[in-house]
Amino acid sequence: MDAPYPHNQLNRQDGNALNMDSTNTKYIYFHRPCLGKEEETEIIAAMRSGWITTGERTKKFEKKICDFTGSPYAIGLNSCTAGLHLALLCCGIKPGDEVITSSITFASTANVIIHCGAVPVFVDVDNDTLNINPEEIQKHITKKTKAIIAVHFLGQPCKMDEISKIAQQHKISVIEDAAHALETVYKGKKVGSISGFTAFSFYATKNITTGEGGMLTVQDEAMADKARIMSLHGISRDAWKRYSDSGYKHWDILYPGFKYNMFDLQAALGIHQLNKIESFWIKRKSFVEKYNQEFMDIPALEPVPQNLQNENDKNAYHLYVLRIRPKYLKSSRDEIMNMIQQSGIGLGVHFRAVHLMHYYASTYGYEKGLLPVAEDNSDRVFSIPLYPSLTDDNFGYIVDTVKKVIKSVTK
Ligand SMILES: Cc1ncc(COP(=O)(O)O)c(C=O)c1O
């Protein structure tokens, strides 16, 4: 086991991904980052440069993300969560406002709405993609609705034309949660260049990683300036400029900002991870296709199909999600997951419906029955390993184990 804090590092939304005997070398992790010599060399160079916080490497990584996504502005941050929070604040979200989002997402998509004092309004998803359903958005618009956060689940593009049309009709903002979706393309347009604000994640399990980290792409210059200032205490100049040799500059506080900036040791990883993004994607895509072939014909299993919905779409293939079909099975999803994990395979759940989580249910009175598609999937999904360094042996073992376990509990 080479991760120093294994239970913290990957356990967040990945269930008990590493909850097993660390001496078992055969264990297949739910995720392993693919970091190589290039990242190692760059991080050492950053350490030796004498500048390890936000500086030139962060700027370089931001520029590379602009080039990759086609967005004019990108702000390096310490998480995607920070990006979502800043985006909401830049859109002027304030106490009493309502923000519509999907319940099939990670905690932070909803939590940041609360951090603005606003009310999260969860709407149901499409069963094929588990992406937010635009017709459901339309039904939940009120006078208080001020923004929509669209989550590109697994890196499949949301129906952005329909969502943008609703937003324009009601003069509300669209923010994209692209934590899974750095490679995603919607009808020929790269995610990151479509809506006013798009937040990406470089968390340890993401398509490319900086350990922890995120990026917010922004279309408007004034908004990008505001988000950048808000990301570093709301002060008017970042530390890099303050101590540069262009002369001492006093800084001022323009907003009560946050400590959300990315720093150069993270960017040192990101720069080289981004160079490898296509090769990582090709590997994940091929595993998705092979998993589909293996699992499509098992009546008790139903993968989230991950089919492309439009011409010129691209799916980022961030995760591989299987759904059980309970009517064929004697065991629950959680029992099945335990059996697979006990055979040495790390699993995750993406996602249990957020509106039924303790805080949201008890604060807003959300009850079962409100969002039938999200709730049904919430009890049936589990994710199996999908990352470039999986070997053919790993792949074979995962497929055999899942099939064996499912067969053993089929009615
Ligand atoms: C859909 C979604 N949104 C947001 C986040 C938050 O990303 P970060 O950990 O970079 O804040 C995640 C992270 O797992 C996610 O899956």
Side-chain angles (χ1 to χ4, degrees):
M1 171 68 67
D2 48 12
Y5 305 107
H7 296 281
N8 288 341
Q9 196 193 356
L10 296 179
N11 228 8
R12 198 176 56 182
Q13 74 265 43
D14 307 321
N16 297 315
L18 299 179
N19 185 13
M20 50 79 61
D21 176 6
S22 64
T23 59
N24 180 354
T25 50
K26 286 215 177 108
Y27 191 76
I28 301 171
Y29 296 100
F30 177 69
H31 185 85
R32 281 196 87 107
C34 290
L35 297 163
K37 272 271 161 248
E38 299 80 2
E39 287 86 342
E40 247 176 72
T41 308
E42 189 76 40
I43 217 161
I44 291 168
M47 285 164 63
R48 290 181 179 160
S49 74
W51 192 273
I52 57 173
T53 185
T54 309
E56 287 187 49
R57 284 185 171 80
T58 304
K59 292 272 170 280
K60 183 171 176 187
F61 187 34
E62 288 171 345
K63 167 82 172 59
K64 281 174 80 79
I65 290 287
C66 284
D67 293 344
F68 185 78
T69 59
S71 172
Y73 306 101
I75 297 131
L77 299 169
N78 58 14
S79 67
C80 174
T81 306
L84 294 170
H85 188 198
L86 292 179
L88 286 170
L89 292 170
C90 287
C91 293
I93 303 305
K94 54 180 193 324
D97 291 343
E98 292 177 358
V99 177
I100 290 179
T101 194
S102 159
S103 183
I104 297 293
T105 188
F106 183 55
S108 59
T109 319
N111 289 348
V112 291
I113 299 170
I114 313 270
H115 297 333
C116 298
V119 177
V121 176
F122 296 103
V123 305
D124 218 342
V125 292
D126 285 328
N127 193 50
D128 276 354
T129 57
L130 306 192
N131 275 339
I132 196 161
N133 179 340
E135 285 168 23
E136 295 298 315
I137 297 178
Q138 185 72 64
K139 284 187 209 158
H140 286 81
I141 300 267
T142 71
K143 284 204 172 102
K144 293 183 181 169
T145 310
K146 293 288 153 36
I148 300 164
I149 305 182
V151 182
H152 302 292
F153 181 67
L154 314 182
Q156 311 164 106
C158 289
K159 292 178 175 160
M160 293 311 300
D161 282 351
E162 289 87 334
I163 294 170
S164 305
K165 197 166 156 207
I166 296 169
Q168 274 163 17
Q169 271 167 4
H170 298 277
K171 298 193 170 45
I172 59 181
S173 308
V174 179
I175 295 163
E176 291 174 55
D177 179 339
H180 301 181
L182 185 52
E183 302 92 335
T184 302
V185 178
Y186 173 71
K187 296 186 179 174
K189 282 183 243 154
K190 284 210 154 179
V191 162
S193 67
I194 302 171
S195 304
F197 297 89
T198 305
F200 297 96
S201 175
F202 309 124
Y203 175 63
T205 59
K206 292 298 184 281
N207 298 348
I208 65 167
T209 185
T210 59
E212 300 281 351
M215 190 80 67
L216 181 67
T217 57
V218 185
Q219 304 305 308
D220 175 81
E221 187 177 1
M223 286 293 170
D225 282 350
K226 182 166 182 182
R228 186 177 295 286
I229 290 168
M230 294 282 280
S231 76
L232 197 65
H233 308 294
I235 62 180
S236 61
R237 296 196 170 275
D238 60 34
W240 185 45
K241 283 185 190 153
R242 268 189 284 148
Y243 297 106
S244 75
D245 55 13
S246 59
Y248 189 84
K249 299 265 195 317
H250 290 290
W251 48 264
D252 197 3
I253 303 169
L254 303 185
Y255 314 99
F258 301 88
K259 181 72 173 121
Y260 279 170
N261 53 306
M262 173 175 277
F263 62 104
D264 274 18
L265 295 183
Q266 292 170 305
L269 302 183
I271 289 164
H272 293 283
Q273 287 277 287
L274 192 55
N275 291 340
K276 301 174 184 176
I277 193 166
E278 182 69 9
S279 64
F280 291 168
W281 178 83
I282 288 168
K283 273 273 191 182
R284 290 197 310 276
K285 178 173 187 277
S286 81
F287 283 128
V288 167
E289 286 163 356
K290 289 199 289 180
Y291 276 144
N292 277 344
Q293 273 171 17
E294 296 287 348
F295 297 128
M296 276 303 181
D297 296 330
I298 300 176
L301 284 180
E302 176 197 19
V304 173
Q306 306 216 43
N307 295 330
L308 300 181
Q309 307 287 314
N310 310 288
E311 232 179 274
N312 300 322
D313 276 4
K314 181 173 178 178
N315 184 344
Y317 299 115
H318 172 53
L319 294 166
Y320 192 81
V321 176
L322 284 164
R323 302 184 267 213
I324 60 157
R325 287 197 178 105
K327 68 174 178 186
Y328 294 104
L329 292 164
K330 294 182 279 199
S331 300
S332 68
R333 184 264 316 271
D334 293 359
E335 287 163 342
I336 290 168
M337 285 183 70
N338 282 335
M339 286 185 250
I340 297 171
Q341 287 203 154
Q342 275 156 18
S343 303
I345 299 170
L347 301 176
V349 174
H350 301 86
F351 289 105
R352 284 164 61 233
V354 176
H355 71 285
L356 297 180
M357 297 278 177
H358 173 77
Y359 175 81
Y360 289 94
S362 60
T363 308
Y364 299 100
Y366 282 119
E367 285 175 353
K368 258 201 166 197
L370 204 71
L371 307 177
V373 183
E375 289 164 20
D376 172 52
N377 279 277
S378 173
D379 293 337
R380 297 198 292 127
V381 288
F382 67 96
S383 311
I384 59 178
L386 178 69
Y387 48 95
S389 61
L390 278 180
T391 64
D392 288 345
D393 279 358
N394 294 154
F395 177 84
Y397 184 68
I398 294 164
V399 167
D400 287 351
T401 306
V402 171
K403 283 183 176 173
K404 247 185 236 160
V405 166
I406 292 294
K407 196 168 172 204
S408 73
V409 296
T410 296
K411 283 180 194 163

